[in-house]
Amino acid sequence: MAVRRTTIAARGMRFDALSAGPADGELVLLLHGFPQTGTCWHDALKSLADAGYRAVAPSQRGYSEGARPQGVEAYRVSELCADVIAIGAALGRDRFHVVGHDWGGTVAWALAGDHPQVVASLTAVSTPHSAALRQALRGRQQRVRMAYIPVLRLPLIPESLIDAAGGIVAESLLTATGLSPAHAHRDITALRAIGATGPLNWYRALGTERPHAAPVSAPVLHVWSDQDPVFTREATDLSGEHCTGEYHLLELEGGSHWIPDEHWADVADLFLEHLVANPVAAGG
């Protein structure tokens, strides 16, 4: 089925989105990370639509022209979770499947922990449970891998780095972590067009609210690549300890961090099995 561009009105904002699949299919919301948009889910949208699901990938707060509130506090995880619930409601659903990659995975874990009534199933792509990540950050390896975050939290400097040499510097940093040059160019071009401050405010808002550490009762499929340069095996392995329902880890050998764009064909079948085994109606 064709992937269509649309906009979704929610919480007084308008979110750009890609959608595919029948209107009466179970809703699957796909949440992107930094510095991407909903376009990273293009392959997933097509496979979900072919399987009969209504798949929607919004470009989240800060990444959509009509959803760029001012101020760092507007980008707290609690606000991002409220956006997802409102987007689901705008699409006529109060319960749905959630898939999240990178920062989108952080939002998805928090949503499932803090608002279990809305999440029929969770697929966390690359990202560990936030409490597991905090545990792993006590060790040197995870701290080293996330040493870039303080730079992204600085005022003005990261915006300048993203614009440097017409975006070429930022693109090269992404390709060094396994994203293809074409996808890196797509993402940095989109980021520079919308303005990087909103997306960077996701990082700047860290530590401005209570940690989202609630255990997750929804069934979880956790997908992780052993060549991920950001999230360690330790953080990944600890995630299951924060799940009270079914938890399955799918490890990709030789895969990069950028699973939605670069490795979706490797995980699509197991992902669809996860959705089929956990229908929306089963939770009421």
Side-chain angles (χ1 to χ4, degrees):
M1 291 189 180
V3 175
R4 305 174 298 276
R5 294 187 178 276
T6 187
T7 59
I8 302 167
R11 303 189 73 201
M13 297 176 284
R14 296 195 67 84
F15 294 87
D16 301 323
L18 298 177
S19 67
D24 60 351
E26 291 187 9
L27 178 63
V28 184
L29 291 182
L30 301 116
L31 310 178
H32 65 84
F34 179 87
Q36 303 196 293
T37 65
T39 57
C40 73
W41 295 110
H42 191 270
D43 290 348
L45 288 163
K46 292 176 66 176
S47 61
L48 283 165
D50 289 343
Y53 290 92
R54 184 185 188 188
V56 179
S59 292
Q60 296 186 82
R61 178 180 292 230
Y63 294 85
S64 287
E65 182 66 38
R68 295 191 298 162
Q70 299 295 310
V72 168
E73 291 77 12
Y75 294 86
R76 291 171 170 169
V77 170
S78 56
E79 294 291 342
L80 304 169
C81 287
D83 289 346
V84 178
I85 294 171
I87 287 170
L91 295 171
R93 310 298 170 83
D94 58 10
R95 184 172 166 82
F96 39 81
H97 303 281
V98 180
V99 186
H101 173 250
D102 189 81
W103 256 113
T106 298
V107 175
W109 280 113
L111 183 72
D114 295 345
H115 306 277
Q117 73 282 358
V118 307
V119 178
S121 77
L122 165 63
T123 303
V125 183
S126 302
T127 316
H129 188 284
S130 295
L133 181 58
R134 282 193 292 276
Q135 288 174 267
L137 281 167
R138 297 170 188 164
R140 181 176 181 276
Q141 186 182 32
Q142 188 62 71
R143 289 202 306 273
V144 168
R145 291 197 186 193
M146 305 195 88
Y148 64 92
I149 288 181
V151 177
L152 296 181
R153 287 166 54 83
L154 293 171
L156 303 177
I157 290 174
E159 282 92 339
S160 298
L161 289 172
I162 288 167
D163 275 333
I168 293 174
V169 172
E171 289 179 30
S172 67
L173 291 172
L174 291 179
T175 57
T177 65
L179 191 63
S180 72
H183 289 142
H185 180 70
R186 174 201 68 191
D187 294 337
I188 295 303
T189 298
L191 186 65
R192 295 180 66 226
I194 197 70
T197 296
L200 287 165
N201 280 346
W202 289 45
Y203 291 95
R204 292 167 179 151
L206 287 169
T208 64
E209 63 179 338
R210 65 167 182 82
H212 293 265
V216 170
S217 59
V220 175
L221 175 63
H222 189 179
V223 185
W224 176 76
S225 299
D226 63 1
Q227 298 302 307
D228 192 312
V230 181
F231 299 118
T232 61
R233 179 179 297 276
E234 180 186 11
T236 302
D237 288 343
L238 286 168
S239 294
E241 298 179 7
H242 300 278
C243 298
T244 61
E246 291 187 12
Y247 171 86
H248 298 285
L249 174 62
L250 171 60
E251 179 179 335
L252 291 180
E253 294 184 1
S256 73
H257 176 72
W258 309 101
I259 294 171
D261 273 316
E262 310 301 341
H263 310 290
W264 193 254
D266 298 322
V267 305
D269 288 347
L270 284 174
F271 168 59
L272 288 170
E273 288 179 15
H274 176 60
L275 298 188
V276 170
N278 299 288
V280 169

